[in-house]
């Protein structure tokens, strides 16, 4: 088994965790989902270029999470206040 298979699996696990906070934003979960899609295609056809595109989308997902973090917290607090929590 190639060693980078485990790295891609770990990255996809991390993307799954990043998906939850980004789901608060409209269409925010699409960036990590596209990265997982590209990694899946890369593993299916054994293509390193698709894996690199998936890695670039992973970077975009992390940047989106860091950039929108204050807005995510604000929306979560508004939601909690609306529910009465």
């Amino acid at each position: 088994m190639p060693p980078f298979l485990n790295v891609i699996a770990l990255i996809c696990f991390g993307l799954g965790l990043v998906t939850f906070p980004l789901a608060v934003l409209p269409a925010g979960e699409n960036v990590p989902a596209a990265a997982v899609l590209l990694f899946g295609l890369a593993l299916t056809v054994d293509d390193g270029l698709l894996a690199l595109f998936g890695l670039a989308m992973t970077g975009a997902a992390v940047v989106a999470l860091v950039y929108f973090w204050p807005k995510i917290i604000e929306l979560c607090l508004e939601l909690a206040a609306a529910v009465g929590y």
Side-chain angles (χ1 to χ4, degrees):
M1 177 187 304
F4 286 106
L5 233 57
N6 294 333
V7 173
I8 290 176
L10 186 63
I11 291 172
C12 286
F13 178 75
L15 285 168
L17 295 177
V18 167
T19 300
F20 290 111
L22 286 177
V24 176
L25 301 172
E29 70 276 358
N30 289 342
V31 177
V36 171
L37 172 77
L38 288 171
F39 279 129
L41 286 172
L43 291 176
T44 302
V45 297
D46 289 332
D47 189 14
L49 187 61
L50 283 174
L52 284 175
F53 288 155
L55 197 59
M57 289 298 288
T58 300
V62 170
V63 167
L65 181 67
V66 170
Y67 182 76
F68 288 114
W69 186 253
K71 185 65 175 176
I72 291 170
I73 296 299
E74 179 185 332
L75 288 172
C76 288
L77 291 175
E78 286 177 12
L79 180 64
V83 174
Y85 184 66

